[in-house]
Amino acid sequence: MTTPAAQTAASLRAAGRAPAQPFAVALGDGRELVLHRILRLLPGKRIVGEAELADSRVLAKLFIAPGSARHWQREREGIAALAAAGIPTPALLHAGELAEGGHALLTDFLTDAVSLAERWQAVARLPAGHSDALAVLAPAFAMLGRLHMNGLVQDDLHLGNFLVRGSRLMVIDGDAVRALTPGQPLQADAASANFAILAAQLPAGWDEHLAPLIDAWRQGGEGLPALDPAALRAPIAHTRDARLKDFLAKTRRDCTLFKAEKTFERLTIAVRAEAEALAEILAAPDAAIARGSLLKDGGTCTVAKLEHADRPLVIKRYNLKNARHALSRAWRPSRAAHSWVEGHRLAFLGIATPAPLAIIEERAGPLRRRAWIINAWCPGQDLATHLAPYIDSGPPPAEAEALHTLFATLHRERISHGDMKATNLLWHDGQVVLIDLDAMQQHRSAASHARAWRRDRARLLRNWPADSALWRWLDANLPPA
C-alpha cells in the first residue's frame, strides 16, 4: 500500500483543486489524519473528505486558509448549538489546530446515510403538492420548525444539508447555524425569512402549496409563530431569483461546478464533472463533428450527433457566413454562450432540456469568432411526429398534462423560446423537452414577455391545422395571448 504523502495547510493551499489523494496531515495533538477521498473542495480554503484517524473512519473538514480560525470556530459553535438543542447531527469527535497551521474538525462518518436531496430527485418531477413529494419535504420543514423552536436558524438551507439515516433525519453544516434566541422560539419575521430560504429551493409551483409545508414546520413546537402563506411568497421569490442569478454567474467562470479556461485565442467552459471525459472533444471539436453523423449543415450552424465514451452527444457549431456576419458577431456574446446559459437556466428551474455540458469559443482577445456547444443527446420524438395521430382528438392525458405544465411554467417565469416549431419540442420520458435555445429569453417586464409570448403562442399553433381538435385543445389550454 502506498504511504500517503504528508501535507500541510500551506501545501494543500498550493495544490489548488488537485491535492494528491490520499494524503496525511498532522493534528496539533500529534496524531496523524489520513484523508482518502475528497468529497468537497474550496480551493485554498476548505477540504471535506472521508478520512481515517486511529483506525476509525471519520468525516474531516480541513480549514486551510490563513484566516481559517473564524470559520472553524463558527462550525464548532454551530454543532454545539445543535447538540444543545437536541437537534440530531453527526457527533463531533475532534476540533483543533493542525500541526503546521490551519484547523481540523472531525465528525462521525455515516456510511448508511443519504441526503434528502437524493431522496428529492426521485419525486422532483411530480406535480407541486403531490403527496409523495410532500412525504420527502415534510420532515425537512418539521426539522426546521425544531430549529426555530430552539431559537436557531440555518443560513444555508437546502435539502443537501439534511441527512436521512434509517428513519432519523439529521442536520449538517454547523458553519451556517446561528443561535438568535437560544432556547426561545424565533420571532415571526426571523422565522419567515429562514423558512423562505428553504422554500425557495423548490420549483416555483410550490408557492401555491405552502400550507402543508407550514403545517409540517409547525410540528416543531407549539410556541412557533403563525406564518402567512401569502406574505411568504415575496421573500421566497426574491430568494429564488437571487439563487438563480448567483448560479448563472457561476456558469461563466471557473468554480466548483464549472471548469473555465481562457487564453487569447480560446475560451472553454465545461461542467467540471464532465471536463475530463470531454477533453478530446474540447481540444478538437471539428474533428468530433467530422466523425459524427450530421443532423444539420447550414450557413449559420452545423449540428452533429456522435458517440463518445459510450455516450450519445450533440455538438452544434455556430458558423460565420462571411466577413460582415463575423464582424456583427465579434463583440456580442456568442450564440453558444447564450444557449449554454439558457440551458442551465431551464435546468435550474426544473424545465426539461438536454443537459448543456460544455462550450468553446474561438477568440482574438475580446473578439469572438466561431463557437461550439456540446449537449447531452435526447432520444425523444419531436411533437410534430408524436402528436400526428392525435390531430383529430387532442393530446392523450400524459401529453396534455406535460404540455400544460411546461407552458404554465414558462409563462410564470416570463420565458420566451423565440422559435416554437414543433421540431424544437421533443416528447421523452413523459416530458416535453425544449431544444434549440438560441433565441430563448427570460424577460424582466410583463409587457416585454407578453409580446414575446404572443409570437411564441402563434408559432406553436401554426404547427397544426387550425380546424383540428389538437389546435383547438392547445388554443384553449395554453396561457392566453
Side-chain angles (χ1 to χ4, degrees):
M1 181 179 294
T2 303
T3 302
Q7 301 285 355
T8 65
S11 65
L12 290 171
R13 286 197 302 272
R17 292 191 180 276
Q21 301 172 65
F23 64 80
V25 290
L27 302 180
D29 60 11
R31 292 182 295 172
E32 182 182 73
L33 176 76
V34 178
L35 194 141
H36 293 285
R37 180 168 62 103
I38 292 175
L39 302 175
R40 187 171 182 232
L41 183 146
L42 294 176
K45 296 180 180 180
R46 190 178 313 172
I47 299 174
V48 182
E50 179 183 353
E52 182 182 346
L53 180 68
D55 297 324
S56 295
R57 200 176 184 187
V58 299
L59 181 76
K61 291 190 177 183
L62 305 180
F63 300 80
I64 58 175
S68 63
R70 177 169 58 91
H71 293 283
W72 168 79
Q73 184 63 28
R74 193 164 64 189
E75 178 103 21
R76 185 180 183 183
E77 290 172 353
I79 293 174
L82 291 172
I87 305 295
T89 193
L92 178 63
L93 304 176
H94 173 81
E97 295 182 355
L98 297 175
E100 298 183 57
H103 295 77
L105 190 145
L106 312 180
T107 59
D108 277 339
F109 189 91
L110 307 179
T111 57
D112 53 349
V114 297
S115 76
L116 210 57
E118 294 175 74
R119 292 276 183 92
W120 172 249
Q121 288 306 310
V123 298
R125 285 174 49 186
L126 294 174
H130 193 283
S131 59
D132 290 347
L134 278 171
V136 173
L137 295 174
F141 282 88
M143 183 63 74
L144 183 62
R146 288 183 62 181
L147 287 167
H148 293 175
M149 187 65 188
N150 287 277
L152 306 179
V153 295
Q154 222 280 14
D155 292 324
D156 188 25
L157 280 168
H158 56 81
L159 296 179
N161 274 340
F162 296 89
L163 289 185
V164 182
R165 191 185 196 194
S167 61
R168 194 183 193 202
L169 188 68
M170 310 180 82
V171 178
I172 61 173
D173 194 7
D175 180 57
V177 173
R178 292 184 295 125
L180 297 186
T181 55
Q184 300 293 324
L186 293 181
Q187 297 298 311
D189 56 348
S192 294
N194 207 223
F195 184 101
I197 294 174
L198 183 56
Q201 312 301 309
L202 307 177
W206 280 89
D207 294 357
E208 302 299 322
H209 299 273
L210 293 177
L213 301 180
I214 294 173
D215 289 343
W217 173 80
R218 290 185 66 84
Q219 294 176 18
E222 296 182 358
L224 291 172
L227 297 183
D228 178 9
L232 281 167
R233 286 175 187 160
I236 290 172
H238 176 77
T239 302
R240 188 180 290 119
D241 288 347
R243 288 183 62 239
L244 176 58
K245 183 178 180 181
D246 179 66
F247 173 71
L248 294 182
K250 290 177 180 178
T251 67
R252 301 178 177 96
R253 59 180 172 83
D254 195 75
C255 60
T256 301
L257 295 176
F258 301 98
K259 181 178 181 179
E261 296 180 343
K262 185 178 180 180
T263 66
F264 185 86
E265 298 87 6
R266 209 167 192 261
L267 170 69
T268 302
I269 308 175
V271 174
R272 185 168 290 280
E274 303 281 356
E276 184 175 350
L278 295 174
E280 180 183 352
I281 298 176
L282 296 176
D286 282 339
I289 290 175
R291 69 174 181 269
S293 56
L294 282 179
L295 304 177
K296 180 180 180 180
D297 191 12
T300 58
C301 68
T302 300
V303 185
K305 177 191 174 186
L306 77 154
E307 294 288 330
H308 181 76
D310 298 322
R311 178 184 187 185
L313 302 173
V314 173
I315 306 180
K316 185 174 186 178
R317 182 181 66 217
Y318 294 87
N319 302 321
L320 300 173
K321 295 184 291 185
N322 49 48
R324 182 176 181 179
H325 185 217
L327 185 61
S328 72
R329 299 297 318 179
W331 295 100
R332 291 183 283 169
S334 70
R335 287 168 291 168
H338 180 84
S339 294
W340 166 258
V341 171
E342 296 310 308
H344 284 291
R345 185 192 306 276
L346 291 184
F348 183 94
L349 295 172
I351 300 170
T353 193
L357 304 177
I359 60 166
I360 308 158
E361 290 182 347
E362 282 182 340
R363 290 195 168 194
L367 303 179
R368 290 140 173 112
R369 304 194 73 251
R370 295 186 305 166
W372 297 256
I373 185 167
I374 305 169
N375 287 331
W377 163 257
C378 176
Q381 189 177 54
D382 70 78
L383 282 194
T385 304
H386 184 76
L387 294 180
Y390 308 106
I391 287 178
D392 296 325
S393 62
E399 285 82 342
E401 182 179 350
L403 285 164
H404 183 273
T405 298
L406 171 64
F407 288 106
T409 304
L410 291 173
H411 199 264
R412 182 185 63 238
E413 300 293 342
R414 293 180 178 173
I415 292 174
S416 63
H417 182 272
D419 189 12
M420 200 62 79
K421 295 182 294 191
T423 50
N424 285 333
L425 299 157
L426 306 181
W427 178 255
H428 175 63
D429 195 23
Q431 297 184 97
V432 180
V433 181
L434 283 177
I435 64 172
D436 196 2
L437 310 182
D438 296 11
M440 180 163 284
Q441 183 178 355
Q442 186 169 36
H443 299 262
R444 293 185 178 182
S445 75
S448 172
H449 172 250
R451 290 190 296 271
W453 169 238
R454 282 195 294 271
R455 293 190 293 270
D456 268 2
R457 193 181 195 276
R459 180 64 188 90
L460 180 66
L461 289 172
R462 287 202 302 274
N463 288 289
W464 296 279
D467 59 351
S468 66
L470 180 56
W471 188 98
R472 289 193 296 271
W473 184 91
L474 286 166
D475 187 45
N477 286 275
L478 292 172

